[in-house]
Amino acid sequence: MRKRIRKQIIKSTWDDRIFDLITGLFLIVVVVITLYPIYFVVLASFTEPVNVNSGDLLLYPKDITLSGYKKVFGDSRVWSGYFNTLLYTVCGTVYGTAITVMAGYALSRKDMIGRGLLMKIFVFTMYFSGGMIPTYLVINSMGLVNTRLLMIILGSVSVYNMIIVRSFMASNIPDELLEAARIDGCGNGQFFVKIVLPLSKAVISVIVLYIAVNYWNSYFDAMMYLTDSGKYPLQLYLRTILFQSQAASLNAETAMADPEYAEEMKTMAQVVKYSIIVVATAPIICVYPFIQKYFVKGVMIGSVKG
């Protein structure tokens, strides 16, 4: 006779249900608080300035308009900024990820001579730096001021990211795996390329996202070291357009000559501001879903053992 296997169903008690209900409501509130500002910015970028400034915009757009986007994309500098930012982001992310992963792997190897001393030196640079002026003097002496190469290599390597990679490889790449590879005639280079990199997709995706977001949002380095406006990244161009819109709305001569036009420019500056936020953040947000599964795995590095 076949034994019937009964499924044991654990019934939840009333206090468990109350806890689940409270937790679910709390998470819903957190999600709404987090997403509503983004939702509002997108709506405001498509809404007439009058409705935005009057506070009538809450849940749905009113009097849809593309005036803010026409103002932003009507400036040819935006397309130049997109090209420069894509160039800096792609090249910088590839370069920074390669250096970070290789350095993290080397520091995770127990047979590396001077590993502890190098790690202490790297950590020291996280808390102390030479300062803005000495950094500028060093970059200027190397002839990198006002060059695209500087925008690619500057800030590409972070000690924090290096520590993440080192911790991941130290706990997920066992020494026995290297010993087995050596028995099969695999050298250090082959072991790194054929074994370590495929096993490190999770942490690599996290590092790629961190570096790419940092490059995409960066504007201070360009403001400091670039003098040719043709090399400006998108963020710096959008900052300039926003300041120009605000300056036009605050122009005293325009307000005296044509008050209605001055008021229109003032309200337009608000819509331009929201449109700039969407233009600057939409591309990097669209990239995130493609690496989300690896990002979640990378965030959980070291949280579960056994």
Side-chain angles (χ1 to χ4, degrees):
M1 296 178 63
R2 295 182 180 179
K3 295 182 179 180
R4 295 182 179 178
I5 301 176
R6 296 181 179 179
K7 295 182 180 180
Q8 295 181 354
I9 301 175
I10 301 176
K11 296 182 179 180
S12 59
T13 60
W14 64 270
D15 52 342
D16 291 333
R17 295 176 182 175
I18 293 177
F19 176 79
D20 293 340
L21 178 61
I22 295 175
T23 304
L25 292 175
F26 175 75
L27 292 176
I28 291 174
V29 172
V30 171
V31 170
V32 171
I33 294 175
T34 304
L35 294 182
Y36 181 75
I38 302 175
Y39 177 73
F40 178 83
V41 168
V42 175
L43 289 185
S45 65
F46 288 100
T47 305
E48 283 289 346
V50 177
N51 295 325
V52 177
N53 296 331
S54 61
D56 294 336
L57 180 64
L58 290 176
L59 298 177
Y60 55 89
K62 296 181 179 180
D63 301 329
I64 296 177
T65 180
L66 298 176
S67 57
Y69 291 100
K70 290 180 181 179
K71 175 68 175 178
V72 175
F73 288 108
D75 196 322
S76 60
R77 296 174 297 177
V78 171
W79 302 109
S80 176
Y82 259 119
F83 171 78
N84 292 331
T85 298
L86 287 174
L87 176 65
Y88 302 151
T89 301
V90 173
C91 296
T93 301
V94 172
Y95 173 77
T97 303
I99 298 298
T100 301
V101 173
M102 288 189 291
Y105 169 69
L107 293 172
S108 69
R109 291 282 298 272
K110 296 179 181 179
D111 57 344
M112 178 181 177
I113 300 176
R115 181 184 66 160
L117 177 61
L118 286 175
M119 200 65 222
K120 291 178 182 178
I121 294 174
F122 285 137
V123 173
F124 180 84
T125 62
M126 294 179 63
Y127 301 98
F128 303 97
S129 64
M132 185 182 301
I133 295 177
T135 302
Y136 182 87
L137 294 176
V138 171
I139 293 174
N140 188 39
S141 64
M142 298 174 65
L144 293 175
V145 175
N146 196 32
T147 61
R148 286 191 169 94
L149 179 61
L150 175 65
M151 294 294 100
I152 294 174
I153 64 176
L154 192 63
S156 58
V157 179
S158 169
V159 178
Y160 176 78
N161 294 339
M162 196 183 302
I163 293 175
I164 293 178
V165 176
R166 171 184 172 274
S167 301
F168 175 86
M169 292 185 175
S171 59
N172 291 272
I173 309 295
D175 296 335
E176 292 78 9
L177 195 60
L178 176 59
E179 294 175 0
R182 284 179 174 175
I183 294 175
D184 293 336
C186 184
N188 288 324
Q190 288 181 327
F191 178 75
F192 176 75
V193 174
K194 295 183 178 180
I195 298 178
V196 175
L197 291 183
L199 294 176
S200 305
K201 290 181 180 179
V203 71
I204 291 175
S205 64
V206 174
I207 299 303
V208 167
L209 183 63
Y210 283 170
I211 297 177
V213 171
N214 180 61
Y215 271 100
W216 188 268
N217 293 330
S218 177
Y219 73 93
F220 184 76
D221 292 336
M223 189 170 57
M224 286 291 298
Y225 302 112
L226 293 182
T227 57
D228 184 3
S229 60
K231 301 175 182 177
Y232 283 175
L234 175 66
Q235 306 294 341
L236 200 55
Y237 278 129
L238 295 179
R239 176 177 176 271
T240 302
I241 295 173
L242 179 60
F243 283 174
Q244 289 177 349
S245 300
Q246 292 177 343
S249 64
L250 298 176
N251 193 326
E253 295 181 359
T254 305
M256 293 286 292
D258 193 346
E260 294 182 359
Y261 176 76
E263 185 64 24
E264 180 182 355
M265 291 301 297
K266 185 177 180 179
T267 55
M268 177 61 67
Q270 296 294 327
V271 178
V272 170
K273 178 177 65 176
Y274 293 121
S275 302
I276 285 175
I277 295 174
V278 175
V279 170
T281 57
I284 200 68
I285 291 177
C286 293
V287 174
Y288 178 76
F290 295 99
I291 59 176
Q292 180 182 8
K293 61 178 181 179
Y294 298 109
F295 182 76
V296 173
K297 293 179 182 179
V299 170
M300 299 299 293
I301 290 173
S303 62
V304 180
K305 299 294 183 182

